[in-house]
Amino acid sequence: VFIQSARTFAQFVRSQRVLNGMTQQELGSRTGMSRRWVQELESGRLVPSLEATLNVASTLGYEIHLEPKQTASHLDAMFEGLS
């Protein structure tokens, strides 16, 4: 899953929570947050801290990985060998 913004993360959290059959209250309880906090997160009105993001992702069964960003010049170098 590619998360490119806080809004994208909010949409991801909501979809995964619903997919897992959890209420906002249950997700809040499992992450040590309130139902209101989950509601604010899912609505995009709250931008979570890194620690909260990691905690929510883990609770939903995900890990967060960082990868180097591929730039256009990197892609150009890959395609040069194909010519």
Side-chain angles (χ1 to χ4, degrees):
V1 177
F2 179 67
I3 303 293
Q4 53 194 358
S5 68
R7 166 113 8 232
T8 305
F9 183 68
Q11 293 167 345
F12 170 78
V13 169
R14 184 177 192 291
S15 67
Q16 289 303 302
R17 177 184 61 75
V18 170
L19 187 66
N20 287 303
M22 275 192 267
T23 64
Q24 290 178 336
Q25 181 67 47
E26 289 170 322
L27 180 58
S29 294
R30 292 180 188 185
T31 58
M33 304 295 187
S34 67
R35 181 202 58 78
R36 175 80 173 172
W37 185 91
V38 173
Q39 180 183 33
E40 293 285 318
L41 169 66
E42 290 182 355
S43 71
R45 290 188 298 264
L46 179 142
V47 176
S49 67
L50 177 58
E51 186 172 340
T53 299
L54 293 168
N55 188 11
V56 169
S58 178
T59 300
L60 293 171
Y62 286 83
E63 296 177 333
I64 294 178
H65 299 266
L66 299 176
E67 297 180 12
K69 185 176 181 179
Q70 291 189 357
T71 62
S73 61
H74 177 75
L75 295 175
D76 290 341
M78 287 175 40
F79 288 111
E80 275 182 24
L82 298 176
S83 304

